[in-house]
Amino acid sequence: MFRIPSAPVPVRTFILAVGRDAARHDVRKNHVHSMSRWFFPPAKSRVSGYNSIEVSQFLKPKYQDMRKSVLFVCMGNICRSAAAEAVMSRFAEASGVEVEVDSAGTHGYHIGNPADPRMIAAGEARGYQVTSRARQVTRADVVPGRFDLVLAMDSENYAALGSLASPERSHVRMFSDYLDESWPRDVPDPYYGEVEGFDRVLDMLEAGCPVILETLLGNASCER
């Protein structure tokens, strides 16, 4: 497993190593720590010996004045995209990079509601605060220049965004474009499933978000 270095390293080297490590391991099958538990520990990490404040010092930045933005989109904005907003916000915060992170749903089923309690609980178990309120994506959200990236959680979400987007839609992509081939193409909707489904979503988010952050910084291209 990748360890947090004992001396400062370039943000590109660190984030790529974290992302590749997360993508390489199914944390449940290999019985390794969830990445959030050593990358964003509430106190000193048993693995690295560093806390999240110390981690951020390694990633201080030549990039911190480059404001970037990303919008995550699922169906109802109470599970997958809400969690993606929380996970990405933590990665950006720890790396010292200013990123506007938002989320929305293609449907208005849950407008104004908090995230699904099961998603909130799964996030809290890994140190994430899933606090967003559901909203529906709008045409203005997908206008080129509003967000650097608009990322759909699955193929149906992507198709729905396509109906809103202009012909210039290179910034509208699938979340799984930033995952390797070991992951499914769609981030599965856990809403009608068991609790384990929410953890699976978080596994995928923790694998993809470091690569997305690298892409926003201009240091990586999508994996697929």
Side-chain angles (χ1 to χ4, degrees):
M1 177 179 289
F2 181 81
R3 302 287 183 97
I4 296 175
S6 58
V9 297
V11 62
R12 181 175 191 273
T13 302
F14 185 84
I15 295 176
L16 279 181
V18 170
R20 287 170 183 164
D21 180 76
R24 190 179 301 119
H25 294 283
D26 181 317
V27 296
R28 290 174 290 110
K29 290 181 180 177
N30 291 292
H31 304 290
V32 296
H33 287 288
S34 164
M35 186 168 69
S36 63
R37 293 174 186 168
W38 57 268
F39 188 67
F40 299 121
K44 291 283 185 177
S45 166
R46 290 179 297 171
V47 177
S48 69
Y50 293 93
N51 61 34
S52 57
I53 295 176
E54 291 167 331
V55 168
S56 68
Q57 301 306 309
F58 294 131
L59 303 178
K60 282 288 181 197
K62 59 183 181 180
Y63 299 113
Q64 74 180 13
D65 295 328
M66 298 170 58
R67 183 174 177 82
K68 299 295 183 178
S69 57
V70 59
L71 175 68
F72 297 101
V73 180
C74 67
M75 180 178 289
N77 192 209
I78 61 169
C79 293
R80 296 168 291 173
S81 60
E85 179 180 346
V87 173
M88 188 66 176
S89 295
R90 288 295 302 276
F91 272 102
E93 177 185 5
S95 67
V97 179
E98 186 177 3
V99 180
E100 178 189 356
V101 186
D102 199 357
S103 64
T106 56
H107 292 70
Y109 303 139
H110 306 289
I111 291 176
N113 292 340
D116 187 299
R118 296 166 295 174
M119 191 78 257
I120 293 173
E124 287 180 345
R126 302 192 188 199
Y128 303 113
Q129 299 298 313
V130 185
T131 59
S132 61
R133 293 272 176 172
R135 72 177 184 88
Q136 188 169 9
V137 68
T138 67
R139 194 175 300 276
D141 288 321
V142 296
V143 169
R146 172 61 189 94
F147 288 96
D148 293 298
L149 289 173
V150 177
L151 301 179
M153 291 292 137
D154 64 31
S155 301
E156 290 187 8
N157 306 150
Y158 182 76
L161 289 173
S163 68
L164 293 176
S166 67
E168 173 46 55
R169 61 182 71 175
S170 60
H171 62 300
V172 180
R173 304 194 65 91
M174 294 273 289
F175 181 89
S176 59
D177 288 343
Y178 303 91
L179 297 170
D180 68 28
E181 296 294 337
S182 67
W183 299 97
R185 184 61 172 162
D186 291 344
V187 179
D189 189 347
Y191 187 78
Y192 293 106
E194 302 298 325
V195 173
E196 292 77 10
F198 294 87
D199 285 322
R200 181 62 170 171
V201 168
L202 289 170
D203 291 344
M204 295 182 74
L205 298 179
E206 290 178 336
C209 282
V211 183
I212 294 166
L213 185 55
E214 268 294 283
T215 301
L216 289 170
L217 299 179
N219 296 317
S221 58
C222 62
E223 295 291 312
R224 293 188 181 182

